């Protein structure tokens, strides 16, 4: 049956057979996930793999493909309940209105909606005894092999129920071997990859930090099938739980050596009450599937993100000069005015005023006071922010500003006036993180306060063109005075904090839809595809040493496009300015430097490099990325960005380790992503003053030659970074 409704075609689609079994395929261009009901109307995941040309063939898949010694599975439920037949790790645990802890789920129906390039399949399940409904949602971008999956749980029982576990996704895979790459770390060492072969039992990646949830690990992962992950071949699933709070992802190898993957909000201290007729929507698990390695999987996810998820993902980004490392908290109007002029002289788009501009009774002269009091500091800025906005406009650059509106110092008027707005246990000593505490964003008054911080900035200075939104503390002593007052369980705090923050961001974007905002968290403590609905970019790490940034940006690139990554040139590291600028040019370019301390040649190079960046940034921000030489396997790193027409490319190569004092690349590096039948010239750019290229830019190569034999950038201990511009010859 087809019904046209608001330009959306709605299909009620199942494949049914004489056995009364229902088969539901979720298909992308190349892959399929298939579900099948049994004689008791339970729904099972019966297949994940290559898409079959005739979906009627899915009927021939049965339990023997999973359980050779048994006719009845127990692990491969589409969404595993607890307390009845299942004894494995559940996706759903519910305490029903009468206290019963058992749940059963039977198939009801399936609905598929096709809208332009998206297909949404909704599979409805219910408990045959209790009026509990679960809808499994699968949103597919077929041509990109990308799936977004979430769950909606509705309570139609006679009273309140309690969700004790409520996963977003419950996947099942039957390949021979499974390898997991996950990303752990700490402050200044974020996004560190760990690859391991999964063995029988459960491997869990999770966080309980609350706000700055990704400080010690991330909800990003790569599962490779049969063999360890490879850039250009092999079956991989590359995924992320798009949730900005506590997460938990379980990878279980069961007794049949198959893999169960259960991902969702961490149930730790997060039992969630659901009143009659209420629905809880879980966050999304988003994943890209590839049979040609992680390179294709990440390009698919990057393309999806730019087109469908990231705010202004197909737009431009502003290069900027940030005052932080030039002044820290010690600045005044004259210092900042000089930096505004430096912004113009360098050829950058925007001056960003960082921390320290606010607070009067408790002036923000270091990080132990003033946070939460968002009034201009009259001593530092006697003429207010408006003066700096005008200075920026006079110099034909834009003005941006730093805020951290979810936090407060104990030494602040906000803390003194609204102690009930702070997350803290009333009977426990206060625990500070970076001398600050977290505001209770579950409280609507706090939500209004945070919204007003942003709204007042724009109302008073409408030409502010950029926001850097920071978040530097985790949640200690989790307790909400607001929830206690309203009779809401304290186990709602971790979840409602995130949902409350999303409400604020949605309000901001409804009024200010286009202003770029950076998602900062003292580093990569916040970077996910739910936040990136509201933010244009994120700050990968406070570690801006360019050597470390090569590795960090490499790892983030598996999941995020270059247009989302803020990459700054700073005083960190002992590398020359050319190396620093070249590394930072692999994303959105920015500077945290005092221009007055730069040498004449460094300044000359920097201006030229910024001009070059403006010439090729569209290739980096909007093209396709190919990783060529891993810094984890070689002493050098190399990658290339190719524009969508395959007419231009930019190749970055760096000496990432000088452990061996020798010429690093005696052999050429094979390029990727070009058109084999076209002709190209290769030109070295970003040359330091007085340095000549070793390459002959008059030579014309075929794309076939460059991808089969390659080009040697001649990176070594004297040429530690090399940028090559590849252009089609007409």
């Amino acid at each position: 049956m087809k019904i046209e409704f608001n330009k959306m075609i709605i299909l009620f689609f199942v494949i049914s057979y004489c056995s009364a079994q229902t088969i539901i395929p979720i298909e992308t261009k190349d892959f399929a996930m298939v579900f099948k009901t049994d004689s008791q109307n339970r729904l099972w995941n019966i297949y994940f793999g290559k898409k079959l040309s005739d979906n009627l063939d899915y009927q021939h898949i049965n339990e023997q493909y999973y359980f050779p010694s048994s006719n009845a599975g127990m692990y491969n439920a589409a969404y595993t309940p607890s307390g009845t037949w299942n004894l494995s790790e559940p996706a759903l645990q519910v305490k029903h209105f009468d206290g019963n802890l058992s749940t059963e789920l039977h198939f009801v129906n399936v609905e598929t909606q096709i809208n332009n390039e998206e297909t949404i399949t909704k599979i409805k399940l219910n408990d045959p005894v209790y009026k509990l409904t679960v809808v499994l949602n699968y949103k597919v971008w077929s041509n990109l092999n990308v799936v977004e999956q979430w769950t909606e749980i509705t309570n139609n029982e006679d009273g309140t129920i309690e969700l004790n576990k409520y996963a977003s996704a419950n996947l099942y895979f039957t390949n021979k071997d499974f390898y997991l790459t996950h990303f752990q770390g700490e402050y200044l060492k974020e996004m560190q990859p760990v690859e391991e072969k999964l063995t029988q039992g459960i491997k869990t990646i999770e966080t309980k930090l609350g706000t700055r949830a990704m400080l010690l690990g991330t909800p990003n992962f790569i599962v490779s099938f049969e063999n360890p992950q490879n850039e250009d071949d092999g079956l991989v699933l590359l995924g992320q739980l798009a949730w900005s709070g506590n997460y938990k992802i379980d990878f279980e190898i069961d007794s049949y050596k198959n893999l169960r993957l259960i991902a969702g909000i961490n149930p730790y201290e997060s039992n969630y009450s659901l009143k009659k007729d209420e629905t809880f929507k879980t966050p999304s698990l988003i994943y890209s599937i590839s049979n040609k390695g992680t390179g294709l999987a990440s390009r698919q996810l990057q393309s999806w993100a730019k087109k469908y998820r990231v705010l202004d993902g197909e737009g431009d980004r502003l290069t900027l000069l940030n005052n932080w490392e030039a002044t820290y908290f010690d600045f005044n109007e004259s210092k900042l005015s000089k930096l505004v002029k430096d912004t113009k002289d360098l050829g950058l788009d925007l001056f960003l005023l960082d921390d320290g501009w606010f607070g009067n009774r408790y002036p923000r002269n270091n990080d132990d006071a003033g946070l939460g009091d968002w009034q201009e500091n009259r001593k530092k800025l006697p003429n207010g922010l408006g003066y700096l906005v005008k200075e920026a406009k006079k110099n034909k650059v834009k003005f941006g500003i730093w805020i951290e509106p979810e936090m407060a110092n104990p030494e602040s008027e906000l803390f003194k006036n609204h102690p009930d707005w702070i997350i803290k246990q009333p009977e426990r000593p206060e625990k500070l993180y970076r001398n600050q505490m977290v505001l209770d964003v579950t409280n609507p008054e706090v939500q209004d306060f945070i919204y007003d911080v942003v709204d007042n900035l724009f109302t008073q200075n409408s030409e502010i063109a950029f926001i850097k939104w920071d978040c530097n503390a985790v949640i200690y002593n989790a307790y909400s005075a607001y929830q206690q007052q309203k009779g809401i369980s304290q186990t709602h705090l971790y979840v409602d904090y995130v949902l409350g923050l999303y409400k604020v961001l949605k309000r901001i974007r409804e009024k200010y839809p286009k202003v770029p905002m950076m998602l900062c968290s003292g580093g990569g403590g916040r970077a996910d595809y739910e936040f990136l609905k509201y933010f244009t970019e994120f700050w990968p790490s406070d570690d801006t040493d360019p050597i470390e940034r090569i590795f960090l940006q490499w790892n983030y690139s598996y999941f995020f496009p270059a247009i989302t990554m803020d990459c700054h040139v700073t005083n960190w590291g002992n590398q020359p300015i050319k190396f620093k600028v070249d590394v930072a040019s692999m994303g959105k370019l920015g500077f945290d430097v005092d221009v007055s301390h730069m040498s004449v040649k460094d300044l000359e190079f920097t201006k030229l490099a910024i001009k070059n960046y403006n010439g090729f940034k569209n290739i980096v921000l909007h093209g396709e990325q190919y990783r060529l030489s891993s810094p984890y396997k070689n002493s050098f790193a190399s990658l290339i960005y190719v524009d969508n027409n395959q007419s231009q490319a930019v190749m970055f190569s760096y000496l990432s380790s000088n452990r061996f004092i020798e010429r690093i690349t005696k052999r050429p590096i094979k390029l990727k992503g070009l058109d084999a039948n076209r002709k190209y010239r290769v030109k070295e750019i970003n040359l330091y003053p007085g340095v000549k290229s070793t390459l002959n830019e008059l030579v014309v190569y075929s794309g076939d030659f460059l991808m089969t034999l390659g080009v040697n950038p001649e990176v070594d201990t004297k040429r530690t970074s090399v940028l090559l511009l590849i252009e089609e010859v007409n």
Side-chain angles (χ1 to χ4, degrees):
M1 178 172 65
K2 290 186 180 180
I3 303 174
E4 284 201 17
F5 179 70
N6 288 342
K7 298 184 180 179
M8 178 180 288
I9 300 176
I10 302 179
L11 303 172
F12 298 89
F13 174 72
V14 295
I15 305 172
S16 298
Y17 300 95
C18 297
S19 62
Q21 290 180 319
T22 299
I23 293 181
I24 307 167
I26 310 294
E27 294 180 316
T28 70
K29 175 172 62 72
D30 299 313
F31 299 93
M33 182 189 309
V34 183
F35 301 99
K36 181 180 181 180
T37 59
D38 64 10
S39 58
Q40 296 175 293
N41 218 26
R42 294 172 180 154
L43 189 67
W44 303 94
N45 186 330
I46 64 165
Y47 178 73
F48 171 85
K50 182 179 179 292
K51 176 183 177 181
L52 301 183
S53 57
D54 185 350
N55 57 24
L56 292 177
D57 285 342
Y58 296 128
Q59 66 179 299
H60 305 307
I61 302 172
N62 57 42
E63 288 82 358
Q64 293 300 317
Y65 287 90
Y66 284 130
F67 314 110
S69 61
S70 172
N71 290 323
M74 63 178 291
Y75 294 122
N76 61 316
Y79 196 70
T80 311
S82 67
T84 50
W85 56 268
N86 169 59
L87 299 178
S88 59
E89 184 67 24
L92 179 68
Q93 290 177 280
V94 178
K95 182 178 181 180
H96 296 280
F97 81 100
D98 60 358
N100 193 307
L101 298 177
S102 67
T103 299
E104 175 68 289
L105 293 175
H106 287 181
F107 173 74
V108 178
N109 60 43
V110 60
E111 174 185 313
T112 299
Q113 305 170 351
I114 302 175
N115 185 15
N116 298 324
E117 298 168 323
E118 305 168 356
T119 300
I120 301 178
T121 301
K122 296 176 174 287
I123 303 174
K124 185 176 181 180
L125 312 172
N126 68 11
D127 190 308
V129 175
Y130 290 90
K131 294 179 181 179
L132 177 74
T133 300
V134 173
V135 177
L136 308 180
N137 297 269
Y138 303 85
K139 190 173 186 178
V140 174
W141 290 265
S142 179
N143 287 336
L144 292 172
N145 291 312
V146 170
V147 180
E148 180 178 9
Q149 180 176 344
W150 71 94
T151 303
E152 294 169 356
I153 304 166
T154 301
N155 172 28
N156 294 125
E157 298 183 18
D158 293 333
T160 298
I161 67 172
E162 184 177 82
L163 305 179
N164 297 321
K165 188 176 182 183
Y166 33 101
S168 300
N170 187 171
L171 304 178
Y172 198 71
F173 311 101
T174 60
N175 299 63
K176 181 181 178 182
D177 293 307
F178 304 90
Y179 295 82
L180 170 67
T181 302
H182 54 106
F183 299 83
Q184 300 299 300
E186 58 188 85
Y187 179 56
L188 300 179
K189 290 184 67 176
E190 297 87 356
M191 208 65 181
Q192 303 296 312
V194 178
E195 184 175 47
E196 56 190 291
K197 183 176 181 179
L198 292 171
T199 57
Q200 197 162 338
I202 298 179
K203 169 69 180 183
T204 298
I205 59 175
E206 64 173 342
T207 185
K208 302 182 180 75
L209 300 179
T211 47
R212 199 173 167 187
M214 301 173 204
L215 177 62
L216 305 180
T218 80
N220 305 297
F221 62 89
I222 302 170
V223 174
S224 55
F225 301 82
E226 310 296 346
N227 297 294
Q229 65 151 308
N230 187 282
E231 184 68 20
D232 296 309
D233 57 66
L235 178 63
V236 297
L237 184 147
L238 190 153
Q240 176 197 100
L241 185 73
W243 176 246
S244 311
N246 294 345
Y247 60 83
K248 187 171 190 279
I249 308 176
D250 291 323
F251 304 86
E252 179 183 11
I253 301 297
D254 64 26
S255 57
Y256 294 94
K257 306 299 189 292
N258 297 325
L259 172 62
R260 302 177 73 238
L261 193 163
I262 298 177
I265 293 173
N266 197 329
Y268 167 76
E269 296 293 343
S270 294
N271 297 345
Y272 207 87
S273 301
L274 206 58
K275 296 178 182 177
K276 180 177 173 57
D277 298 326
E278 286 186 342
T279 297
F280 186 89
K281 180 182 177 182
T282 71
S284 295
L285 179 70
I286 299 167
Y287 46 96
S288 169
I289 312 161
S290 162
N291 58 7
K292 294 182 180 178
T294 53
L296 178 59
S298 62
R299 284 190 294 278
Q300 290 174 166
L301 191 60
Q302 290 170 5
S303 295
W304 167 84
K306 287 183 284 189
K307 188 170 184 179
Y308 299 107
R309 181 53 59 97
V310 175
L311 184 66
D312 197 24
E314 296 183 304
D316 199 2
R317 293 294 183 269
L318 298 168
T319 57
L320 62 82
L321 177 66
N322 189 4
N323 73 298
W324 181 241
E325 289 199 20
T327 67
Y328 295 101
F329 293 102
D330 182 19
F331 57 78
N332 53 35
E333 281 184 353
S334 61
K335 281 187 180 181
L336 297 179
S337 295
K338 172 63 168 60
L339 290 170
V340 170
K341 291 182 176 65
D342 290 339
T343 305
K344 177 189 177 182
D345 292 342
L346 286 172
L348 298 168
D349 300 319
L350 178 139
F351 171 72
L352 173 62
L353 174 57
D354 213 290
D355 195 358
W357 59 268
F358 50 88
N360 287 295
R361 183 177 178 186
Y362 301 98
R364 182 72 167 175
N365 295 324
N366 47 51
D367 69 4
D368 63 6
L371 191 58
D373 300 343
W374 300 104
Q375 322 92 21
E376 297 103 323
N377 181 282
R378 290 186 292 271
K379 185 175 180 180
K380 293 180 181 179
L381 303 175
N383 295 299
L385 292 174
Y387 171 81
L388 295 173
V389 174
K390 291 176 182 176
E391 283 290 292
K393 187 174 182 179
K394 184 171 69 176
N395 283 277
K396 298 182 180 179
V397 298
K398 297 181 183 297
F399 180 82
I401 196 162
W402 177 97
I403 56 173
E404 192 175 4
E406 301 163 66
M407 307 287 163
N409 291 126
E411 290 298 308
S412 68
E413 292 184 78
L414 177 67
F415 189 95
K416 310 295 184 186
N417 295 334
H418 297 284
D420 57 318
W421 283 11
I422 308 297
I423 293 177
K424 60 185 178 71
Q425 289 281 351
E427 304 301 327
R428 305 289 181 187
E430 295 171 355
K431 172 71 173 176
L432 304 183
Y433 191 107
R434 209 182 114 165
N435 299 311
Q436 64 194 56
M437 302 177 74
V438 182
L439 297 181
D440 181 6
V441 188
T442 71
N443 186 337
E445 290 185 354
V446 174
Q447 293 173 24
D448 290 341
F449 169 79
I450 295 173
Y451 173 82
D452 287 342
V453 170
V454 177
D455 189 43
N456 289 338
L457 283 171
F458 287 128
T459 300
Q460 296 166 16
N461 300 281
S462 61
E463 292 182 308
I464 287 178
F466 188 86
I467 296 285
K468 179 180 177 182
W469 185 303
D470 217 336
C471 170
N472 286 302
V474 300
I475 293 179
Y476 290 114
N477 290 327
Y479 179 89
S480 165
Y482 168 78
Q483 290 187 320
Q484 180 68 23
Q485 178 187 0
K486 295 296 182 180
I488 301 171
S489 172
Q490 292 296 322
T491 62
H492 282 221
L493 174 57
Y494 285 121
V495 175
D496 285 350
Y497 183 98
V498 179
L499 296 178
L501 185 54
Y502 291 160
K503 286 181 182 178
V504 176
L505 294 170
K506 184 178 179 181
R507 286 176 64 191
I508 291 170
R509 282 311 179 190
E510 285 172 350
K511 188 170 182 181
Y512 306 102
K514 296 183 179 180
V515 178
M517 293 205 306
M518 176 202 294
L519 184 64
C520 188
S521 185
R526 282 179 160 177
D528 67 75
Y529 279 121
E530 194 64 30
F531 260 149
L532 285 171
K533 289 179 178 178
Y534 309 105
F535 291 85
T536 52
E537 58 220 66
F538 70 91
W539 182 241
S541 176
D542 274 359
D543 186 347
T544 53
D545 183 300
I547 291 288
E548 295 304 321
R549 275 297 183 112
I550 291 172
F551 291 86
L552 281 164
Q553 291 165 205
W554 184 277
N555 294 324
Y556 277 113
S557 76
Y558 287 114
F559 305 95
F560 300 100
I563 195 170
T564 63
M565 282 189 266
D566 285 309
C567 308
H568 286 196
V569 177
T570 74
N571 296 321
W572 286 52
N574 297 318
Q575 296 77 20
I577 189 69
K578 170 177 165 52
F579 191 97
K580 294 181 177 184
V581 175
D582 286 354
V583 171
S585 295
M586 291 193 294
K588 185 203 135 169
L589 178 63
F591 290 80
D592 277 74
V593 295
D594 188 340
V595 177
S596 66
H597 292 169
M598 297 176 72
S599 70
V600 173
K601 283 191 174 182
D602 280 0
L603 184 58
E604 180 185 347
F605 167 79
T606 301
K607 290 180 178 181
L608 174 63
I610 292 169
K611 184 178 180 180
N612 286 339
Y613 176 81
N614 287 329
F616 66 68
K617 73 172 180 178
N618 281 337
I619 306 173
V620 172
L621 301 183
H622 300 297
E624 290 204 322
Q625 180 200 64
Y626 295 83
R627 290 176 285 269
L628 305 178
S629 175
S630 170
Y632 290 96
K633 298 178 181 179
N634 305 283
S635 297
F636 60 95
S638 186
L639 49 81
I640 189 171
Y641 297 88
V642 183
D643 75 2
N644 295 323
N645 297 320
Q646 296 177 291
S647 60
Q648 285 189 309
V650 185
M651 179 180 174
F652 297 82
S653 300
Y654 309 99
L655 179 64
S656 53
S657 170
N658 60 356
R659 181 180 173 191
F660 301 105
I661 307 300
E662 62 180 0
R663 197 169 190 81
I664 302 300
T665 54
K666 295 285 188 181
R667 65 187 186 280
I669 298 173
K670 297 176 183 178
L671 278 59
K672 300 175 185 176
L674 303 177
D675 186 327
N677 298 315
R678 298 189 199 176
K679 301 294 184 181
Y680 298 91
R681 278 200 178 96
V682 179
K683 176 183 179 182
E684 184 171 355
I685 59 174
N686 278 22
L687 288 164
Y688 194 77
V691 175
K692 293 183 178 180
S693 176
T694 61
L695 303 179
N696 184 351
E697 62 184 65
L698 298 179
V699 177
V700 175
Y701 305 90
S702 69
D704 185 37
F705 179 94
L706 291 173
M707 293 189 291
T708 303
L709 291 160
V711 64
N712 189 347
E714 300 194 46
V715 173
D716 59 26
T717 53
K718 294 182 179 179
R719 287 168 51 85
T720 55
S721 66
V722 176
L723 261 64
L724 301 180
L725 179 65
I726 298 96
E727 295 184 295
E728 182 182 5
V729 178
N730 295 319

